[in-house]
Amino acid sequence: MLKILCQQSEKDVAGIIIVYYRVMDYDMCRIDYFISGITYPDTLKILPSQGQKLEQKVVVGDKTGVLQCLTIRDEEPVIQFKTLPGKPITAVQLTSTNGTQPDKIFAASGNEVKGYTKKGKVFFSIETALSEPVTSMCVFGGDLILCSGRTITFYRDSKEHQSYVCKDRVLDMAAFITPNNAKVRLLLLIAHKGAGILENGHLVAHIAISSGPSRLATPPVAQVAEIKCFYGAADGSVGIITYEETTLSNNCLVEGRGLGSVVCLGWFYSNANLHLAVGRNDGSVQLYLIDVENLHLKPRLKFTYFSGEPVTSVVGGCVGTDEGELLVATFSGRIFALRSKFLIAGSVTKASHENLAARRSKLEIEIVRLEKQTANEREKYQRNSRSLQAGLSTPPLLDIEHKMSGATREGWQEVDITLAVPLDMLFIYCSKKLKLLTDSAAVLSVCSSQDSASDLLATVRCQAGTRRIWLRLRVASTNSTVLESTRVLIYALPTGAPRVARLLSIKLPALPYYSQHEEFDENNDHSIKSWCQLHVTGGFSVAEMTFWLSDILPGDLPRPASNVAFLRVHSLLGTKLYCQYQRGSAVFKSNNISTVSSVRSIISNCSIDKRIRVEISCDIPDDCCLKSFKLIENIISIAYEKKNQVTLAKALDLLELDTKAINAEKPVLCKEYYTVLKNSESEILQSNFDELIEIVVQWYLDWRSLSVNGNNTVDQSNKLCALLKDYKLDDVTKVLSELTEFNHTCE
């Protein structure tokens, strides 16, 4: 646990809000510069200074399609140029045309890329044939490299030179040149696949990274031909990827440990030291001190700041002063700087009373103008609403983003909701009973009249100024096997008028635990031959099978292709599900028989709804339950021990022992009881032992239902349940072995 010391005070100096933070080793404060539209990751850049001037220009593109270049003079933004609105700008890149410092700006909006000079003149424009928006790009002289969905496209002299299609979405890329300056190598981050090296249109190296890297940052001290790149991952971790002598390797430098997923990375110089700036989805900004002599050493955390909403861009430079500062962009478009406290104090002292009075007067005039404009718009809206003429009032669509993660070991699925405006309330409805958890900054209320019903109606009231909130959902089912997905409707109601809400439709898949991705080679793994297999043939397409699987599995599925294959891992049990399908044929293999049974039932129901005739056959080994039980035997043992600790902790709480009795020289508790009590105070003890019992019993029931001999299930299932509750694992193994031999004899 990191100890953070915070010292906070606020001052209003001519409209510039200053907040001091003392965190870790650095004293830094926030200065709000301006507000743009909603921003996408890494769409904020800083142009290098030219000549004797140290102040740098800021370039930012937003969702409205506006690209603007600004400078900061006397703590106020001055626009250099600003484009007209258009398609959302999803990528911004700086490049050099003369081989020195970057002096040109490239912006991608939709499938179009434009190049601008520092004065806003368009010198380059190309409209590509890409079907998806450009998410990342690199510029090398006359070469333009675009990343769109799964496709990497090379353009040379404004003409398409070659392209490469990856197995899944490309999240980010970084370009390097070979030692002889003859070729360009690309380091790719591929969703659910890890990282790869692309050279001459071929993937020459690949490595799987389980943390899910999503963003790259090339160290400014690295050689041009040296492939060393830092990455930020979805689980919050930070690491480095290295490519040496045809070998691609990675090293995790900072563990996630519950931190928000990394959205952006940047570089910041302070006190002649290089820092890696990390912006996260939970609104935190962190500075890590990097050892430039050895990039593989673990970086030291020097500063942390919380902005309250997701951070989309972080970049260091000299914008408002001659000294370095960290420029930050948030999801809603707030652009602010994190600057040394002493620099702020110096700038406030140097400011004359005349300048401060002029700024204050300017802000007062701006406030009066906004109030007048707001009153006019309110009067216009009320006049139109009272008009007898036929018309339709259409409020603007709320800008909102939501992400959903797969189930954790406890079975909770988390929905992360982010708005560009403050959130007031959430209304949640589901046709099934759900278990709900929410942020501590919100109040959850479940309608009391729905306690005995089969559906759910709940409200979540947020604190003032809340722009981001998370919900944890779990289907309250007594059966461990769910045969259909669950639809949850969430109405997001922001503050302000008119009172409008945005509807979010969330789908909870039938098998939420299969959220982990893993690389798999069917030819080299011989254990798959003993797994349960499900064969499906019929008149379905690849797109239809992908849609059916979206009701079964969480997260994004691979894009439809001629032949799709992937592997998912159960986050609680460690069992695996292998899916391979093409047009008219699909094969599913798993060492979890209940998984195969659920997939079989859901695909059968979906095909009936679509009126598509399919033929389904199963190949179930006799010893599948026995092998699966041996696989999770250690998990059951750990869960049983934790269950005993939970029971003991509840009993100790009833004793109501005070602190003196526990910490006395002659303690009243033995060492084991004292440890359990301390653990219960530091963390919430939970056990999924009962859930594991249901899973094992359901294995037996599914095995009986899918095998030829489906009789005598009640007595044996009750016997298994009793043995598991008594923690007689050897007897359970014996019973499963006898049932396997009996079934084999009957066949």
Side-chain angles (χ1 to χ4, degrees), residues 535-549:
H535 299 269
V536 183
T537 57
F540 56 84
S541 64
V542 175
E544 287 170 333
M545 179 56 69
T546 303
F547 179 74
W548 295 346
L549 289 178

Side-chain angles (χ1 to χ4, degrees), residues 394-603:
T394 306
L397 187 65
L398 298 175
D399 289 311
I400 185 172
E401 284 190 355
H402 68 280
K403 296 180 181 179
M404 186 169 182
S405 61
T408 59
R409 292 181 62 89
E410 292 77 21
W412 295 98
Q413 292 181 263
E414 185 169 303
V415 182
D416 198 331
I417 301 175
T418 305
L419 280 82
V421 295
L423 184 64
D424 183 20
M425 294 186 68
L426 292 178
F427 298 93
I428 305 170
Y429 173 77
C430 182
S431 59
K432 296 181 181 180
K433 286 299 265 184
L434 287 180
K435 295 180 180 179
L436 284 176
L437 289 177
T438 187
D439 199 335
S440 59
V443 179
L444 173 65
S445 301
V446 180
C447 212
S448 57
S449 60
Q450 303 290 325
D451 288 342
S452 59
S454 59
D455 56 359
L456 171 88
L457 181 62
T459 61
V460 178
R461 183 173 292 276
C462 307
Q463 288 185 355
T466 300
R467 296 175 183 266
R468 176 182 176 270
I469 191 172
W470 55 262
L471 295 172
R472 289 180 182 172
L473 311 174
R474 184 177 182 180
V475 179
S477 175
T478 56
N479 188 359
S480 59
T481 303
V482 181
L483 299 182
E484 61 180 353
S485 60
T486 303
R487 182 73 61 177
V488 182
L489 302 180
I490 302 176
Y491 294 86
L493 181 66
T495 58
R499 302 290 283 179
V500 296
R502 175 78 180 271
L503 173 61
L504 303 178
S505 182
I506 306 295
K507 182 191 293 185
L508 302 182
L511 302 177
Y513 279 110
Y514 282 96
S515 57
Q516 298 180 1
H517 301 260
E518 186 175 299
E519 284 292 310
F520 181 74
D521 188 357
E522 184 181 7
N523 298 325
N524 296 331
D525 196 336
H526 301 288
S527 63
I528 194 174
K529 297 180 180 179
S530 61
W531 290 5
C532 304
Q533 298 186 21
L534 176 69
H535 299 269
V536 183
T537 57
F540 56 84
S541 64
V542 175
E544 287 170 333
M545 179 56 69
T546 303
F547 179 74
W548 295 346
L549 289 178
S550 66
D551 288 341
I552 303 174
L553 301 175
D556 297 331
L557 295 174
R559 292 285 301 273
S562 59
N563 191 352
V564 179
F566 61 91
L567 182 74
R568 292 289 186 93
V569 181
H570 200 288
S571 59
L572 174 62
L573 305 177
T575 56
K576 300 178 181 180
L577 172 62
Y578 176 72
C579 306
Q580 181 183 12
Y581 53 93
Q582 54 189 1
R583 183 178 182 85
S585 176
V587 178
F588 302 95
K589 303 178 182 180
S590 177
N591 53 354
N592 187 329
I593 188 172
S594 294
T595 299
V596 173
S597 178
S598 298
V599 173
R600 173 178 175 269
S601 301
I602 295 174
I603 289 181

Side-chain angles (χ1 to χ4, degrees), residues 666-717:
K666 295 182 179 181
V668 296
L669 297 177
C670 65
K671 185 177 181 181
E672 180 183 357
Y673 287 9
Y674 178 76
T675 303
V676 171
L677 187 60
K678 281 297 183 182
N679 292 337
S680 64
E681 293 176 354
S682 60
E683 59 180 283
I684 300 176
L685 293 177
Q686 294 180 347
S687 174
N688 48 17
F689 181 71
D690 295 334
E691 183 180 356
L692 292 174
I693 292 177
E694 294 180 3
I695 290 174
V696 175
V697 174
Q698 189 64 41
W699 283 353
Y700 170 74
L701 296 176
D702 291 332
W703 176 59
R704 279 300 189 184
S705 64
L706 295 178
S707 62
V708 178
N709 302 292
N711 55 358
N712 193 23
T713 58
V714 178
D715 295 340
Q716 294 294 343
S717 62

Side-chain angles (χ1 to χ4, degrees), residues 211-238:
S211 59
S214 57
R215 193 58 57 181
L216 291 173
T218 305
V221 295
Q223 300 295 328
V224 179
E226 187 179 22
I227 300 182
K228 288 186 178 181
C229 209
F230 284 84
Y231 71 85
D235 66 348
S237 62
V238 177

